[in-house]
């Protein structure tokens, strides 16, 4: 009982030693380095530090190191928090994963011209919703609709915030309260918990699953058609592939069935590309133009996956349906902003000349670029890293494969060259963590206990950044 009491007393003693917010505020104000720090940041860092110490005292009991309560130690704790509060949260990093459209690392990088247009739209007034010829209010979407129709061959076009929004909007417009027939093999979940059945429920469409996970036939769709049917939906199984004993119904067959029953057919392409990657020695991905030519009534896809533009959702198709979609009040809630519009317009214009697009749009050039270019970057990095000249560091080259990402080409592995690093006394996962925590983070990957950097997605001027980060680990 006495012991319990004395522990209780010393706990109270320690808690009493915690300085008050005002005391710390006055103490920090002595330091000229903190002169420019906003008061809200300072107070927040102080409160957080006191809270942390209080929790540590309570949980560590007698094991709590008294030194933590030294004014210097508390000062350091506060200044760390101030430093992190004063640093932007969204930071650039080096993508050395080799995954070109990496959803966690910002998906697509924009072409330089698209960035130029976005900067201009951001810093100057524009004719965003103003018809310069007529001198009156205009539509925000005209900037991209014509060019979308021109390159895709579609009758009409519409753009929203992202493809998830495009799918929601199309289903809400065409299938609210009606049945939507979808193959069980296409009820996908993509990253960020976007699931076809959930989006269907939100839109008010009634999911009518047909077929099995691995095989669905045209007669499965045919049998499911009834007076309640509102739409036939095909979803591109972007991020996985069913292999082996499989069967799925092609878009032309679905379009045929739709015509027969007077039902619209929609295809969610997911990634969506205007370029036939087969021409570049890669796997076939269905192109947007092919889906439109086949006669799909609505085709939806992302702006920032294989297209290589800003985040957006693009809807193409039949004029009458697009007009209905445009009138849906949800459209206003899902509209894109002017920066996206500017970046998207310029990206789309680049597609008028495919060779130019493949060269200037980073997503395309990284996917289709020759192995020799990747090898050159790998050689350059190796040379810079060897110049560090530290006996603990071993640098090497490794032939490997990279992924396109962004829920495209699930099975595709593109030959690439990686730079490997080994450091005496550090495991691959420690190297991975330290590089991730460098001033400009470097994100690589680990294969068979070896840390490697896939040079496909590394931009030449980032080689110096990697050298700094690796050098920093050896200091
Ligand atoms: C990626 C994807 C979506 C969602 O697109 P976002 O632009 O990320 O909203 C929808 N459907 C499929 C099949 C996808 O691959």
């Amino acid at each position: 009982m006495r012991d319990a009491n004395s522990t209780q007393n010393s706990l109270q003693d320690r808690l009493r030693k915690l300085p008050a917010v005002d005391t710390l505020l006055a103490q920090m104000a002595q330091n000229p380095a903190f002169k420019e720090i906003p008061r809200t940041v300072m107070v927040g860092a102080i409160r957080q530090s006191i809270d942390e110490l209080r929790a540590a005292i309570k949980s560590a009991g007698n094991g709590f190191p008294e030194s933590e309560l030294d004014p210097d130690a508390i000062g350091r704790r506060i200044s760390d928090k101030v430093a992190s509060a004063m640093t932007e949260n969204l930071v650039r990093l080096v993508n050395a994963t080799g995954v070109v459209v990496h959803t966690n690392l910002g998906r697509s990088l924009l072409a330089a011209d698209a960035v130029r247009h976005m900067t201009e739209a951001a810093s100057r007034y524009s004719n965003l919703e103003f018809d310069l010829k007529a001198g009156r209010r205009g539509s925000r979407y005209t900037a991209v609709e014509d060019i979308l129709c021109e390159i895709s061959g579609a009758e009409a076009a519409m753009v929203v915030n992202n493809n998830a929004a495009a799918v929601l909007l199309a289903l809400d417009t065409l299938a609210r309260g009606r049945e939507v027939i979808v193959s069980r093999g296409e009820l996908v979940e993509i990253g960020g918990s976007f699931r076809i059945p959930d989006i269907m429920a939100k839109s008010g469409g009634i999911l009518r699953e047909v077929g099995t996970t691995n095989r669905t036939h045209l007669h499965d769709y045919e049998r499911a058609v009834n007076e309640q049917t509102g739409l036939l939906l095909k979803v591109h199984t972007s991020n996985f592939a069913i292999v082996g004993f499989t069967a799925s119904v092609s878009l032309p067959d679905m379009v045929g069935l739709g015509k027969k029953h007077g039902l619209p057919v929609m295809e969610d392409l997911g990634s969506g590309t205007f370029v036939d990657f087969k021409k570049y020695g890669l796997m076939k991905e269905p192109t947007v133009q092919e889906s439109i030519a086949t006669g799909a009534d609505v085709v939806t896809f992302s702006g920032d996956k294989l297209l290589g533009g800003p985040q957006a959702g693009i809807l193409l198709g039949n004029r009458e349906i697009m007009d209905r979609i445009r009138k849906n009040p949800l459209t206003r809630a899902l509209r894109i902003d002017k920066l996206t519009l500017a970046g998207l317009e310029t990206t789309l214009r680049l597609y008028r000349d495919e060779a130019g697009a493949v060269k200037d749009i980073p997503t395309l050039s990284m996917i289709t670029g020759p192995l020799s270019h990747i090898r050159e970057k790998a050689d350059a990095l190796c040379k810079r890293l060897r110049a560090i000249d530290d006996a603990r560091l071993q640098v090497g080259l490794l032939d490997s494969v990279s992924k396109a990402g962004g829920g495209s080409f699930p099975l595709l592995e593109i030959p690439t060259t990686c730079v490997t690093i080994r450091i005496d006394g550090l495991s691959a996962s420690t190297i991975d963590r330290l590089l991730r925590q460098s001033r400009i983070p470097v994100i690589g990957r680990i294969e068979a206990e070896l840390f490697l950097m896939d040079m496909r997605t590394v931009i030449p001027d980032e080689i110096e950044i990697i050298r700094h980060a690796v050098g920093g680990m050896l200091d």
Side-chain angles (χ1 to χ4, degrees):
M1 201 55 207
R2 286 245 312 268
D3 274 2
N5 268 334
S6 66
T7 307
Q8 190 62 30
N9 288 342
S10 57
L11 178 68
Q12 291 304 335
D13 284 348
R14 280 195 204 94
L15 288 173
R16 260 196 294 276
K17 279 192 200 151
L18 279 173
V21 174
D22 285 340
T23 315
L24 287 171
L25 211 47
Q27 182 189 318
M28 300 305 282
Q30 308 288 315
N31 188 340
F34 295 109
K35 231 180 111 215
E36 304 286 313
I37 304 295
R39 192 185 148 85
T40 48
V41 171
M42 211 63 219
V43 172
I46 290 172
R47 289 227 166 96
Q48 253 185 349
S49 302
I50 296 175
D51 288 349
E52 266 176 24
L53 286 168
R54 184 179 297 116
I57 291 170
K58 283 186 183 159
S59 76
N62 283 332
F64 181 80
E66 294 289 331
S67 58
E68 291 287 329
L69 292 175
D70 285 351
D72 282 352
I74 296 182
R76 271 196 302 277
R77 190 183 282 268
I78 296 170
S79 56
D80 282 353
K81 294 202 190 313
V82 168
S84 98
M86 294 305 285
T87 316
E88 284 171 338
N89 291 325
L90 182 64
V91 294
R92 68 173 288 189
L93 54 75
V94 176
N95 174 9
T97 65
V99 180
V100 178
V101 184
H102 197 307
T103 293
N104 302 145
L105 304 185
R107 284 200 183 167
S108 281
L109 305 186
L110 298 181
D113 214 23
V115 174
R116 189 252 333 136
H117 196 184
M118 286 177 90
T119 308
E120 191 175 281
S123 52
R124 301 291 168 168
Y125 289 109
S126 62
N127 60 340
L128 180 64
E129 291 187 3
F130 186 62
D131 182 336
L132 286 170
K133 264 197 199 126
R136 58 165 181 265
R137 191 177 202 282
S139 154
R140 144 181 318 243
Y141 304 104
T142 15
V144 289
E145 280 170 4
D146 293 349
I147 182 99
L148 273 169
C149 293
E150 178 194 318
I151 42 189
S152 68
E155 262 178 33
M158 176 70 207
V159 279
V160 288
N161 190 41
N162 55 25
N163 186 35
V167 174
L168 175 69
L169 181 61
L171 291 175
D172 184 86
T173 311
L174 300 172
R176 173 159 288 278
R178 316 208 62 189
E179 288 184 7
V180 181
I181 308 180
V182 194
S183 160
R184 288 199 168 87
E186 297 173 3
L187 292 176
V188 300
E189 170 178 319
I190 56 154
S193 27
F194 172 91
R195 291 174 158 189
I196 292 293
D198 297 345
I199 211 92
M200 187 78 71
K202 264 281 171 248
S203 73
I206 302 157
L207 179 62
R208 182 71 197 267
E209 304 171 31
V210 296
T212 60
T213 306
N214 59 329
R215 290 173 71 84
T216 303
H217 308 276
L218 188 60
H219 59 79
D220 291 320
Y221 288 86
E222 181 107 54
R223 272 187 219 135
V225 173
N226 64 50
E227 321 76 80
Q228 294 307 311
T229 310
L231 182 70
L232 306 179
L233 173 65
K234 184 163 185 65
V235 182
H236 187 48
T237 53
S238 316
N239 49 5
F240 72 104
I242 299 177
V243 294
F245 185 56
T246 65
S248 62
V249 176
S250 68
L251 185 65
D253 284 347
M254 286 183 62
V255 168
L257 185 67
K259 290 233 157 65
K260 187 167 148 196
H261 295 278
L263 289 169
V265 176
M266 165 170 160
E267 184 175 37
D268 172 13
L269 273 176
S271 248
T273 169
F274 290 124
V275 171
D276 184 352
F277 283 95
K278 204 155 174 245
K279 278 199 246 168
Y280 302 89
L282 300 169
M283 240 181 225
K284 175 80 192 169
E285 271 276 297
T287 66
V288 173
Q289 297 92 313
E290 286 160 0
S291 297
I292 296 294
T294 301
D297 297 283
V298 185
V299 176
T300 73
F301 53 98
S302 289
D304 58 345
K305 288 184 180 169
L306 285 178
L307 204 73
Q311 178 189 305
I314 299 170
L315 298 116
L316 298 176
N318 154 331
R319 179 166 299 120
E320 183 264 324
I321 289 181
M322 282 308 140
D323 283 344
R324 279 168 63 196
I325 289 178
R326 238 186 290 273
K327 289 193 191 111
N328 187 327
L330 260 184
T331 300
R332 175 62 179 80
L334 304 174
R335 82 176 185 188
I336 59 171
D337 76 306
K338 62 181 179 181
L339 303 187
T340 305
L341 199 63
L344 186 61
E345 180 186 0
T346 306
T347 306
L348 292 169
R349 283 175 180 275
L350 289 171
Y351 278 95
R352 284 178 164 162
D353 163 27
E354 186 177 307
V358 166
K359 184 167 72 60
D360 294 337
I361 298 176
T363 299
L364 297 183
S365 66
M366 283 182 190
I367 292 176
T368 62
L371 186 57
S372 62
H373 281 183
I374 301 175
R375 181 65 190 233
E376 273 167 32
K377 289 187 280 182
D379 285 337
L381 177 60
C382 268
K383 208 167 140 208
R384 292 300 289 140
L385 291 180
R386 285 184 180 137
I388 293 177
D389 196 24
D390 186 307
R392 292 168 295 170
L393 173 68
Q394 292 165 54
V395 182
L397 289 179
L398 182 74
D399 291 332
S400 181
V401 287
S402 26
K403 294 258 181 199
S408 55
F409 301 110
L411 297 182
L412 177 68
E413 297 189 321
I414 326 169
T416 192
T417 304
C418 297
V419 173
T420 64
I421 51 178
R422 287 188 177 83
I423 297 177
D424 288 350
L426 298 186
S427 66
S429 62
T430 304
I431 296 176
D432 182 70
R433 178 172 56 78
L434 291 173
L435 288 180
R436 190 168 11 99
Q437 291 168 354
S438 4
R439 197 178 65 76
I440 299 181
V442 176
I443 315 292
R445 58 176 204 252
I446 297 174
E447 265 172 34
E449 293 298 299
L450 186 59
F451 180 80
L452 43 91
M453 292 174 284
D454 186 332
M455 297 308 284
R456 174 177 303 280
T457 45
V458 174
I459 296 161
D461 68 10
E462 292 173 336
I463 287 174
E464 221 34 50
I465 295 172
I466 300 178
R467 193 197 67 85
H468 266 285
V470 172
M473 280 194 295
L474 296 160
D475 289 343

PDB file of all heavy atoms in Angstrom, residues 118-143:
ATOM      1  N   MET A 118      -1.229  25.198 -67.418  1.00  0.00           N
ATOM      2  CA  MET A 118      -1.838  25.214 -66.077  1.00  0.00           C
ATOM      3  C   MET A 118      -1.351  26.426 -65.280  1.00  0.00           C
ATOM      4  O   MET A 118      -2.129  27.075 -64.575  1.00  0.00           O
ATOM      5  CB  MET A 118      -1.502  23.929 -65.314  1.00  0.00           C
ATOM      6  CG  MET A 118      -2.280  22.737 -65.823  1.00  0.00           C
ATOM      7  SD  MET A 118      -1.841  21.198 -64.997  1.00  0.00           S
ATOM      8  CE  MET A 118      -2.996  21.212 -63.632  1.00  0.00           C
ATOM      9  N   THR A 119      -0.068  26.715 -65.406  1.00  0.00           N
ATOM     10  CA  THR A 119       0.487  27.871 -64.687  1.00  0.00           C
ATOM     11  C   THR A 119      -0.187  29.149 -65.168  1.00  0.00           C
ATOM     12  O   THR A 119      -0.566  30.020 -64.371  1.00  0.00           O
ATOM     13  CB  THR A 119       2.012  27.959 -64.935  1.00  0.00           C
ATOM     14  OG1 THR A 119       2.572  26.693 -64.641  1.00  0.00           O
ATOM     15  CG2 THR A 119       2.656  29.018 -64.080  1.00  0.00           C
ATOM     16  N   GLU A 120      -0.368  29.243 -66.482  1.00  0.00           N
ATOM     17  CA  GLU A 120      -1.005  30.430 -67.052  1.00  0.00           C
ATOM     18  C   GLU A 120      -2.454  30.553 -66.574  1.00  0.00           C
ATOM     19  O   GLU A 120      -2.894  31.627 -66.149  1.00  0.00           O
ATOM     20  CB  GLU A 120      -0.954  30.318 -68.579  1.00  0.00           C
ATOM     21  CG  GLU A 120      -1.327  31.561 -69.307  1.00  0.00           C
ATOM     22  CD  GLU A 120      -1.110  31.354 -70.810  1.00  0.00           C
ATOM     23  OE1 GLU A 120       0.051  31.440 -71.247  1.00  0.00           O
ATOM     24  OE2 GLU A 120      -2.092  31.064 -71.508  1.00  0.00           O
ATOM     25  N   ALA A 121      -3.174  29.426 -66.606  1.00  0.00           N
ATOM     26  CA  ALA A 121      -4.573  29.458 -66.170  1.00  0.00           C
ATOM     27  C   ALA A 121      -4.673  29.806 -64.682  1.00  0.00           C
ATOM     28  O   ALA A 121      -5.653  30.408 -64.232  1.00  0.00           O
ATOM     29  CB  ALA A 121      -5.237  28.108 -66.441  1.00  0.00           C
ATOM     30  N   ALA A 122      -3.638  29.427 -63.933  1.00  0.00           N
ATOM     31  CA  ALA A 122      -3.673  29.682 -62.490  1.00  0.00           C
ATOM     32  C   ALA A 122      -3.387  31.143 -62.171  1.00  0.00           C
ATOM     33  O   ALA A 122      -3.945  31.708 -61.235  1.00  0.00           O
ATOM     34  CB  ALA A 122      -2.655  28.788 -61.783  1.00  0.00           C
ATOM     35  N   SER A 123      -2.531  31.769 -62.969  1.00  0.00           N
ATOM     36  CA  SER A 123      -2.064  33.101 -62.590  1.00  0.00           C
ATOM     37  C   SER A 123      -2.707  34.231 -63.383  1.00  0.00           C
ATOM     38  O   SER A 123      -2.449  35.399 -63.107  1.00  0.00           O
ATOM     39  CB  SER A 123      -0.536  33.169 -62.716  1.00  0.00           C
ATOM     40  OG  SER A 123      -0.144  32.737 -63.997  1.00  0.00           O
ATOM     41  N   ARG A 124      -3.513  33.893 -64.381  1.00  0.00           N
ATOM     42  CA  ARG A 124      -4.181  34.921 -65.191  1.00  0.00           C
ATOM     43  C   ARG A 124      -5.674  34.628 -65.273  1.00  0.00           C
ATOM     44  O   ARG A 124      -6.087  33.486 -65.207  1.00  0.00           O
ATOM     45  CB  ARG A 124      -3.606  34.932 -66.617  1.00  0.00           C
ATOM     46  CG  ARG A 124      -2.130  35.202 -66.690  1.00  0.00           C
ATOM     47  CD  ARG A 124      -1.822  36.622 -66.312  1.00  0.00           C
ATOM     48  NE  ARG A 124      -0.387  36.798 -66.105  1.00  0.00           N
ATOM     49  CZ  ARG A 124       0.208  37.969 -65.982  1.00  0.00           C
ATOM     50  NH1 ARG A 124      -0.500  39.078 -66.042  1.00  0.00           N
ATOM     51  NH2 ARG A 124       1.489  38.057 -65.789  1.00  0.00           N
ATOM     52  N   TYR A 125      -6.461  35.672 -65.524  1.00  0.00           N
ATOM     53  CA  TYR A 125      -7.884  35.455 -65.829  1.00  0.00           C
ATOM     54  C   TYR A 125      -7.980  34.745 -67.171  1.00  0.00           C
ATOM     55  O   TYR A 125      -7.066  34.824 -67.987  1.00  0.00           O
ATOM     56  CB  TYR A 125      -8.614  36.789 -65.886  1.00  0.00           C
ATOM     57  CG  TYR A 125      -8.766  37.442 -64.521  1.00  0.00           C
ATOM     58  CD1 TYR A 125      -8.038  38.575 -64.194  1.00  0.00           C
ATOM     59  CD2 TYR A 125      -9.631  36.898 -63.582  1.00  0.00           C
ATOM     60  CE1 TYR A 125      -8.157  39.164 -62.947  1.00  0.00           C
ATOM     61  CE2 TYR A 125      -9.767  37.484 -62.326  1.00  0.00           C
ATOM     62  CZ  TYR A 125      -9.034  38.611 -62.011  1.00  0.00           C
ATOM     63  OH  TYR A 125      -9.159  39.170 -60.783  1.00  0.00           O
ATOM     64  N   SER A 126      -9.080  34.054 -67.395  1.00  0.00           N
ATOM     65  CA  SER A 126      -9.211  33.290 -68.638  1.00  0.00           C
ATOM     66  C   SER A 126     -10.673  33.284 -69.070  1.00  0.00           C
ATOM     67  O   SER A 126     -11.552  33.739 -68.341  1.00  0.00           O
ATOM     68  CB  SER A 126      -8.745  31.856 -68.402  1.00  0.00           C
ATOM     69  OG  SER A 126      -9.572  31.250 -67.421  1.00  0.00           O
ATOM     70  N   ASN A 127     -10.924  32.752 -70.262  1.00  0.00           N
ATOM     71  CA  ASN A 127     -12.300  32.671 -70.761  1.00  0.00           C
ATOM     72  C   ASN A 127     -12.957  31.364 -70.310  1.00  0.00           C
ATOM     73  O   ASN A 127     -13.698  30.743 -71.063  1.00  0.00           O
ATOM     74  CB  ASN A 127     -12.317  32.778 -72.287  1.00  0.00           C
ATOM     75  CG  ASN A 127     -11.525  31.666 -72.949  1.00  0.00           C
ATOM     76  OD1 ASN A 127     -10.675  31.052 -72.305  1.00  0.00           O
ATOM     77  ND2 ASN A 127     -11.804  31.391 -74.209  1.00  0.00           N
ATOM     78  N   LEU A 128     -12.681  30.974 -69.066  1.00  0.00           N
ATOM     79  CA  LEU A 128     -13.177  29.700 -68.525  1.00  0.00           C
ATOM     80  C   LEU A 128     -14.653  29.448 -68.842  1.00  0.00           C
ATOM     81  O   LEU A 128     -15.020  28.381 -69.329  1.00  0.00           O
ATOM     82  CB  LEU A 128     -12.959  29.673 -67.004  1.00  0.00           C
ATOM     83  CG  LEU A 128     -13.425  28.422 -66.267  1.00  0.00           C
ATOM     84  CD1 LEU A 128     -12.647  27.193 -66.693  1.00  0.00           C
ATOM     85  CD2 LEU A 128     -13.314  28.617 -64.753  1.00  0.00           C
ATOM     86  N   GLU A 129     -15.472  30.458 -68.558  1.00  0.00           N
ATOM     87  CA  GLU A 129     -16.912  30.312 -68.871  1.00  0.00           C
ATOM     88  C   GLU A 129     -17.376  31.552 -69.607  1.00  0.00           C
ATOM     89  O   GLU A 129     -18.383  32.166 -69.252  1.00  0.00           O
ATOM     90  CB  GLU A 129     -17.724  30.091 -67.586  1.00  0.00           C
ATOM     91  CG  GLU A 129     -17.444  28.740 -66.944  1.00  0.00           C
ATOM     92  CD  GLU A 129     -18.349  28.429 -65.772  1.00  0.00           C
ATOM     93  OE1 GLU A 129     -19.260  29.238 -65.470  1.00  0.00           O
ATOM     94  OE2 GLU A 129     -18.157  27.373 -65.147  1.00  0.00           O
ATOM     95  N   PHE A 130     -16.624  31.937 -70.606  1.00  0.00           N
ATOM     96  CA  PHE A 130     -16.956  33.157 -71.333  1.00  0.00           C
ATOM     97  C   PHE A 130     -16.732  32.915 -72.817  1.00  0.00           C
ATOM     98  O   PHE A 130     -15.660  32.468 -73.230  1.00  0.00           O
ATOM     99  CB  PHE A 130     -16.069  34.306 -70.842  1.00  0.00           C
ATOM    100  CG  PHE A 130     -16.423  35.641 -71.434  1.00  0.00           C
ATOM    101  CD1 PHE A 130     -17.680  36.204 -71.205  1.00  0.00           C
ATOM    102  CD2 PHE A 130     -15.506  36.335 -72.220  1.00  0.00           C
ATOM    103  CE1 PHE A 130     -18.008  37.442 -71.754  1.00  0.00           C
ATOM    104  CE2 PHE A 130     -15.832  37.571 -72.769  1.00  0.00           C
ATOM    105  CZ  PHE A 130     -17.079  38.125 -72.530  1.00  0.00           C
ATOM    106  N   ASP A 131     -17.756  33.177 -73.605  1.00  0.00           N
ATOM    107  CA  ASP A 131     -17.685  32.996 -75.048  1.00  0.00           C
ATOM    108  C   ASP A 131     -17.165  34.301 -75.652  1.00  0.00           C
ATOM    109  O   ASP A 131     -17.879  35.303 -75.690  1.00  0.00           O
ATOM    110  CB  ASP A 131     -19.094  32.646 -75.563  1.00  0.00           C
ATOM    111  CG  ASP A 131     -19.109  32.399 -77.057  1.00  0.00           C
ATOM    112  OD1 ASP A 131     -18.214  32.922 -77.756  1.00  0.00           O
ATOM    113  OD2 ASP A 131     -20.020  31.688 -77.522  1.00  0.00           O
ATOM    114  N   LEU A 132     -15.917  34.281 -76.101  1.00  0.00           N
ATOM    115  CA  LEU A 132     -15.282  35.522 -76.577  1.00  0.00           C
ATOM    116  C   LEU A 132     -15.942  36.057 -77.847  1.00  0.00           C
ATOM    117  O   LEU A 132     -16.004  37.264 -78.060  1.00  0.00           O
ATOM    118  CB  LEU A 132     -13.790  35.298 -76.815  1.00  0.00           C
ATOM    119  CG  LEU A 132     -12.950  35.190 -75.533  1.00  0.00           C
ATOM    120  CD1 LEU A 132     -11.544  34.726 -75.852  1.00  0.00           C
ATOM    121  CD2 LEU A 132     -12.916  36.531 -74.796  1.00  0.00           C
ATOM    122  N   LYS A 133     -16.424  35.153 -78.711  1.00  0.00           N
ATOM    123  CA  LYS A 133     -17.059  35.592 -79.959  1.00  0.00           C
ATOM    124  C   LYS A 133     -18.362  36.298 -79.664  1.00  0.00           C
ATOM    125  O   LYS A 133     -18.642  37.382 -80.159  1.00  0.00           O
ATOM    126  CB  LYS A 133     -17.327  34.388 -80.870  1.00  0.00           C
ATOM    127  CG  LYS A 133     -16.228  34.210 -81.892  1.00  0.00           C
ATOM    128  CD  LYS A 133     -16.700  33.293 -83.026  1.00  0.00           C
ATOM    129  CE  LYS A 133     -15.466  32.771 -83.737  1.00  0.00           C
ATOM    130  NZ  LYS A 133     -15.434  31.317 -83.829  1.00  0.00           N
ATOM    131  N   ALA A 134     -19.189  35.668 -78.842  1.00  0.00           N
ATOM    132  CA  ALA A 134     -20.521  36.204 -78.578  1.00  0.00           C
ATOM    133  C   ALA A 134     -20.516  37.261 -77.481  1.00  0.00           C
ATOM    134  O   ALA A 134     -21.475  38.020 -77.335  1.00  0.00           O
ATOM    135  CB  ALA A 134     -21.463  35.058 -78.199  1.00  0.00           C
ATOM    136  N   GLY A 135     -19.449  37.278 -76.694  1.00  0.00           N
ATOM    137  CA  GLY A 135     -19.389  38.249 -75.605  1.00  0.00           C
ATOM    138  C   GLY A 135     -20.348  37.946 -74.476  1.00  0.00           C
ATOM    139  O   GLY A 135     -20.825  38.845 -73.790  1.00  0.00           O
ATOM    140  N   ARG A 136     -20.649  36.672 -74.280  1.00  0.00           N
ATOM    141  CA  ARG A 136     -21.508  36.307 -73.142  1.00  0.00           C
ATOM    142  C   ARG A 136     -21.026  35.006 -72.513  1.00  0.00           C
ATOM    143  O   ARG A 136     -20.047  34.413 -72.954  1.00  0.00           O
ATOM    144  CB  ARG A 136     -22.977  36.211 -73.589  1.00  0.00           C
ATOM    145  CG  ARG A 136     -23.200  35.221 -74.704  1.00  0.00           C
ATOM    146  CD  ARG A 136     -24.685  34.886 -74.877  1.00  0.00           C
ATOM    147  NE  ARG A 136     -24.810  33.913 -75.939  1.00  0.00           N
ATOM    148  CZ  ARG A 136     -25.064  34.199 -77.203  1.00  0.00           C
ATOM    149  NH1 ARG A 136     -25.263  35.445 -77.598  1.00  0.00           N
ATOM    150  NH2 ARG A 136     -25.131  33.241 -78.110  1.00  0.00           N
ATOM    151  N   ARG A 137     -21.744  34.602 -71.473  1.00  0.00           N
ATOM    152  CA  ARG A 137     -21.389  33.395 -70.740  1.00  0.00           C
ATOM    153  C   ARG A 137     -21.215  32.209 -71.696  1.00  0.00           C
ATOM    154  O   ARG A 137     -22.006  32.025 -72.614  1.00  0.00           O
ATOM    155  CB  ARG A 137     -22.513  33.089 -69.745  1.00  0.00           C
ATOM    156  CG  ARG A 137     -22.167  32.031 -68.749  1.00  0.00           C
ATOM    157  CD  ARG A 137     -23.329  31.857 -67.752  1.00  0.00           C
ATOM    158  NE  ARG A 137     -22.835  31.253 -66.532  1.00  0.00           N
ATOM    159  CZ  ARG A 137     -22.573  29.955 -66.406  1.00  0.00           C
ATOM    160  NH1 ARG A 137     -22.760  29.138 -67.411  1.00  0.00           N
ATOM    161  NH2 ARG A 137     -22.114  29.475 -65.275  1.00  0.00           N
ATOM    162  N   GLY A 138     -20.174  31.439 -71.476  1.00  0.00           N
ATOM    163  CA  GLY A 138     -19.956  30.247 -72.298  1.00  0.00           C
ATOM    164  C   GLY A 138     -19.840  29.012 -71.432  1.00  0.00           C
ATOM    165  O   GLY A 138     -20.004  29.091 -70.216  1.00  0.00           O
ATOM    166  N   SER A 139     -19.576  27.869 -72.101  1.00  0.00           N
ATOM    167  CA  SER A 139     -19.477  26.628 -71.333  1.00  0.00           C
ATOM    168  C   SER A 139     -18.022  26.353 -70.964  1.00  0.00           C
ATOM    169  O   SER A 139     -17.115  26.540 -71.763  1.00  0.00           O
ATOM    170  CB  SER A 139     -20.034  25.460 -72.145  1.00  0.00           C
ATOM    171  OG  SER A 139     -19.433  24.262 -71.734  1.00  0.00           O
ATOM    172  N   ARG A 140     -17.839  25.886 -69.749  1.00  0.00           N
ATOM    173  CA  ARG A 140     -16.512  25.557 -69.240  1.00  0.00           C
ATOM    174  C   ARG A 140     -15.898  24.390 -70.011  1.00  0.00           C
ATOM    175  O   ARG A 140     -14.688  24.226 -70.030  1.00  0.00           O
ATOM    176  CB  ARG A 140     -16.697  25.265 -67.741  1.00  0.00           C
ATOM    177  CG  ARG A 140     -15.873  24.202 -67.138  1.00  0.00           C
ATOM    178  CD  ARG A 140     -16.187  23.999 -65.663  1.00  0.00           C
ATOM    179  NE  ARG A 140     -16.369  25.218 -64.924  1.00  0.00           N
ATOM    180  CZ  ARG A 140     -15.587  25.617 -63.912  1.00  0.00           C
ATOM    181  NH1 ARG A 140     -14.576  24.897 -63.531  1.00  0.00           N
ATOM    182  NH2 ARG A 140     -15.839  26.722 -63.282  1.00  0.00           N
ATOM    183  N   TYR A 141     -16.727  23.564 -70.620  1.00  0.00           N
ATOM    184  CA  TYR A 141     -16.211  22.322 -71.197  1.00  0.00           C
ATOM    185  C   TYR A 141     -15.811  22.412 -72.667  1.00  0.00           C
ATOM    186  O   TYR A 141     -15.176  21.507 -73.181  1.00  0.00           O
ATOM    187  CB  TYR A 141     -17.233  21.192 -71.011  1.00  0.00           C
ATOM    188  CG  TYR A 141     -17.601  21.011 -69.572  1.00  0.00           C
ATOM    189  CD1 TYR A 141     -18.821  21.461 -69.075  1.00  0.00           C
ATOM    190  CD2 TYR A 141     -16.704  20.424 -68.687  1.00  0.00           C
ATOM    191  CE1 TYR A 141     -19.139  21.318 -67.733  1.00  0.00           C
ATOM    192  CE2 TYR A 141     -17.017  20.281 -67.352  1.00  0.00           C
ATOM    193  CZ  TYR A 141     -18.239  20.727 -66.874  1.00  0.00           C
ATOM    194  OH  TYR A 141     -18.536  20.585 -65.548  1.00  0.00           O
ATOM    195  N   THR A 142     -16.221  23.517 -73.354  1.00  0.00           N
ATOM    196  CA  THR A 142     -15.929  23.602 -74.798  1.00  0.00           C
ATOM    197  C   THR A 142     -14.447  23.413 -75.096  1.00  0.00           C
ATOM    198  O   THR A 142     -14.100  22.856 -76.131  1.00  0.00           O
ATOM    199  CB  THR A 142     -16.376  24.957 -75.404  1.00  0.00           C
ATOM    200  OG1 THR A 142     -16.607  25.852 -74.340  1.00  0.00           O
ATOM    201  CG2 THR A 142     -17.598  24.821 -76.244  1.00  0.00           C
ATOM    202  N   ALA A 143     -13.593  23.861 -74.175  1.00  0.00           N
ATOM    203  CA  ALA A 143     -12.150  23.783 -74.423  1.00  0.00           C
ATOM    204  C   ALA A 143     -11.695  22.360 -74.723  1.00  0.00           C
ATOM    205  O   ALA A 143     -10.736  22.161 -75.461  1.00  0.00           O
ATOM    206  CB  ALA A 143     -11.383  24.332 -73.219  1.00  0.00           C
TER     207      ALA A 143
END
